């Protein structure tokens, strides 16, 4: 009687030790799932854990290839290639585990990888001896723990591939379109300068229209290509400390002719004691030029534009105010979106693609600043952006 009790005690103690060892392995897998960086690496770890827990000699993690709709091996443990996927298909199609203990020498156990009610693949393990209900529970635990993360990584990697393909596509198209456009611009400029003979009044008008449209097209290609570089992380910033007032004065000077053409005034408020900012001067020039160009375009003749630079305890603030057509409150949420142009005749009169503010916001934000807008229709708009201080 006492001998029997000791045996039971031993069995129970061993079972508890086994369970604790299993929990430790599963807990380790939990940590690996949280740190998973790539799908092949994660799949290999999940499979290794599954094989370890059920003492399998060989194992395969299969995922459904979205395009082909077929199961494909993405991780393998052991040397033998998977000879048949029949059992894996059965498990995948029924979304239930499948066991084959019939073949002496190689028994197989397959469990489905399920997440959000969808079966995304299977874990397939083999060994020489029978698989038990405990093995099934352990492999199912591994599959249930990891299916969500595997699917997340798959979606993530698929999106990254799509983004890469889109970026390559945009880059090729913009490059290929720029070449013929440069040729058109060159020839039209020759004609415009009458280097290939005098132009009639009507020919001159046509040439001006062609030049305007070439400019419009090349602006679009320039913006698309920069957005592409920004979104694919290829845009390099050359940040350094510099004084903003000099740069503002340079940009403002470039607008003098355009502003005179519409009898608009531009007033600059540049205090002498401004702290140095830390940003990319070329990008800041682009931001200022874009906001000043908008203020000029969307302000009727005779209007006023004011550019004020001020310092706050944490940043330098640039405020550009105009007395133009203003922006309706309903348009605020779309203002910084790609291709947004306010649905108004006054806006359509001006050329543009609705990409300027989208780019400006991105350029401000990647330099650590913020941008906002306040406006009253028919009274004017104010755009405020910040740049980080050099000494912070
Ligand atoms: P674009 O000027 O090429 O249309 P932007 O992205 O620079 O593109 O601006 C988007 C839209 O925001 C403009 O089409 C216009 O409707 C509105 N907008 C921008 N700046 C001003 C401004 N200073 N005054 C009034 N509306 C503006």
């Amino acid at each position: 009687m006492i001998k029997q009790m000791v045996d039971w005690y031993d069995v129970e103690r061993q079972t508890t030790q086994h369970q604790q060892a299993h929990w430790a392995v599963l807990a380790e897998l939990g940590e690996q799932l949280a740190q998973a960086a790539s799908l092949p690496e994660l799949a290999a770890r999940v499979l290794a854990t599954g094989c370890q827990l059920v003492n399998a000699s060989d194992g395969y993690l299969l995922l459904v290839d979205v395009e082909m709709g077929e199961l494909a091996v993405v991780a393998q443990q052991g040397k033998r290639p998977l000879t048949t996927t029949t059992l894996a298909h059965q498990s995948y199609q029924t979304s239930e585990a499948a066991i084959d203990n019939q073949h002496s020498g190689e028994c197989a156990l397959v469990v489905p990888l399920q997440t959000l009610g969808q079966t995304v693949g299977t874990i397939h393990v083999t060994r020489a001896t029978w698989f038990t209900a405990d093995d099934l529970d352990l492999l199912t635990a591994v599959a249930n723990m990891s299916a969500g993360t595997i699917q997340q990584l798959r979606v993530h990697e698929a999106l990254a591939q799509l983004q890469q393909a889109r970026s390559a596509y945009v880059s090729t198209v913009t490059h290929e379109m720029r070449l013929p456009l440069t040729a058109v611009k060159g020839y039209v400029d020759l004609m415009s300068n009458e280097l290939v003979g005098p132009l009639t009044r009507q020919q001159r008008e046509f040439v001006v229209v062609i030049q305007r449209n070439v400019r419009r097209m090349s602006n679009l290609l320039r913006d698309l290509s920069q957005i592409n570089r920004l979104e694919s992380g290829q845009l390099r910033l050359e940040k350094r400390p510099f004084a903003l007032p000099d740069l503002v004065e340079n940009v403002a000077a470039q607008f003098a002719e355009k502003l005179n053409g519409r009898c608009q005034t531009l007033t600059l408020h540049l205090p002498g004691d401004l702290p140095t900012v830390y940003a990319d001067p070329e990008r800041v020039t682009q931001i200022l030029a874009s906001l000043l160009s908008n203020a000029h375009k969307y302000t009727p003749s005779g209007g006023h534009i004011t550019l004020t630079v001020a310092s706050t305890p944490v940043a330098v603030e640039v405020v550009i105010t105009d007395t133009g057509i203003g922006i309706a409150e309903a348009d605020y949420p779309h203002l910084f979106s790609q291709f947004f142009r306010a649905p108004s005749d006054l806006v359509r009169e001006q050329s543009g693609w609705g990409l300027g503010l989208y780019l400006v916001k991105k350029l401000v934000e990647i330099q650590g600043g913020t941008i906002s807008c306040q406006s009253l229709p028919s009274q004017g708009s104010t755009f405020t952006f910040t740049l980080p201080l050099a000494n912070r």
Side-chain angles (χ1 to χ4, degrees):
M1 179 67 179
I2 288 176
K3 165 88 174 70
Q4 204 178 6
M5 274 179 68
V6 171
D7 285 352
W8 271 115
Y9 175 74
D10 271 355
V11 168
E12 205 164 277
R13 199 187 53 187
Q14 275 173 16
T15 310
T16 316
Q17 276 173 350
H18 262 109
Q19 276 174 348
Q20 278 172 350
H22 290 158
W23 282 120
V25 173
L26 286 172
E28 198 181 325
L29 176 63
E31 277 172 29
Q32 289 169 345
L33 288 173
Q35 293 157 10
S38 79
L39 184 61
E41 182 197 319
L42 175 69
R45 287 192 174 178
V46 169
L47 184 61
T49 307
C51 288
Q52 181 188 351
L53 285 173
V54 301
N55 284 319
S57 55
D58 294 85
Y60 317 87
L61 195 146
L62 299 100
L63 292 177
V64 185
D65 182 315
V66 187
E67 274 173 25
M68 311 291 281
E70 280 174 16
L71 285 170
V73 176
V74 294
Q76 174 171 357
Q77 171 122 342
K79 291 199 177 66
R80 275 185 297 171
L82 185 60
T83 47
T84 165
T85 54
T86 316
L87 207 63
H89 271 119
Q90 182 189 324
S91 168
Y92 169 64
Q93 266 153 11
T94 59
S95 295
E96 282 178 10
I99 299 188
D100 181 1
N101 278 337
Q102 305 297 322
H103 297 83
S104 61
E106 183 177 291
C107 300
L109 167 63
V110 183
V111 294
L113 283 159
Q114 287 179 293
T115 176
L116 300 171
Q118 193 193 355
T119 302
V120 295
T122 59
I123 302 179
H124 185 140
V125 291
T126 62
R127 72 181 186 201
T129 53
W130 283 25
F131 284 103
T132 63
D134 281 350
D135 295 324
L136 172 62
D137 287 349
L138 285 168
L139 201 61
T140 304
V142 171
N144 290 348
M145 270 177 81
S146 47
T149 314
I150 287 178
Q151 185 64 353
Q152 251 176 25
L153 276 184
R154 274 196 110 185
V155 171
H156 194 266
E157 288 188 4
L159 280 177
Q161 271 172 10
L162 262 179
Q163 163 74 18
Q164 231 172 25
R166 196 189 70 153
S167 164
Y169 174 79
V170 174
S171 157
T172 309
V173 171
T174 48
H175 179 72
E176 291 301 324
M177 284 179 75
R178 237 188 236 138
L179 296 177
L181 212 56
T182 309
V184 174
K185 184 178 179 320
Y187 286 118
V188 175
D189 286 351
L190 285 180
M191 289 164 73
S192 159
N193 293 328
E194 300 197 322
L195 292 174
V196 282
L199 297 179
T200 64
R201 221 178 100 114
Q202 195 182 35
Q203 284 168 340
R204 178 162 293 284
E205 278 169 18
F206 288 176
V207 162
V208 169
V209 173
I210 297 174
Q211 280 178 318
R212 194 168 55 234
N213 282 287
V214 166
R215 240 190 336 268
R216 205 171 127 73
M217 284 302 292
S218 51
N219 285 347
L220 174 66
L221 295 178
R222 181 202 59 206
D223 289 353
L224 282 180
S225 139
Q226 194 175 34
I227 288 172
N228 196 32
R229 278 189 291 141
L230 257 171
E231 290 181 345
S232 58
Q234 286 168 26
L235 192 87
R236 285 242 186 88
L237 287 182
E238 311 248 334
K239 290 206 227 175
R240 62 175 175 83
F242 68 95
L244 201 51
D246 293 349
L247 191 139
V248 169
E249 276 170 351
N250 277 340
V251 180
Q254 289 164 24
F255 277 86
E257 204 180 310
K258 279 187 175 175
L259 295 169
N260 283 341
R262 278 212 207 157
C263 302
Q264 293 168 333
T265 58
L266 170 61
T267 311
L268 304 181
H269 295 292
L270 306 170
D273 55 349
L274 276 173
T276 311
V277 294
Y278 186 70
D280 179 338
E282 202 184 317
R283 304 300 161 203
V284 177
T285 303
Q286 190 183 339
I287 294 165
L288 286 168
S290 192
L291 293 176
L292 280 177
S293 164
N294 279 352
H296 157 71
K297 281 197 300 186
Y298 303 115
T299 299
S301 296
H304 304 291
I305 301 167
T306 315
L307 192 158
T308 307
V309 184
S311 68
T312 75
V314 289
V316 165
E317 200 173 66
V318 182
V319 186
I320 298 174
T321 301
D322 63 55
T323 55
I325 60 173
I327 297 161
E329 212 178 321
D331 293 335
Y332 277 26
H334 317 289
L335 209 51
F336 296 98
S337 316
Q338 289 189 58
F339 295 108
F340 173 77
R341 305 201 77 205
S344 120
D345 289 344
L346 292 172
V347 170
R348 266 189 293 273
E349 271 171 21
Q350 303 300 323
S351 92
W353 287 101
L355 291 173
L357 285 183
Y358 176 78
L359 261 171
V360 162
K361 185 166 192 282
K362 291 252 173 209
L363 290 173
V364 168
E365 286 174 354
I366 55 166
Q367 299 189 87
T370 56
I371 182 159
S372 61
C373 168
Q374 282 182 320
S375 179
L376 277 177
S378 314
Q379 294 196 28
S381 311
T382 298
F383 284 85
T384 306
F385 72 92
T386 62
L387 291 172
L389 300 176
N391 58 357
R392 283 183 63 89

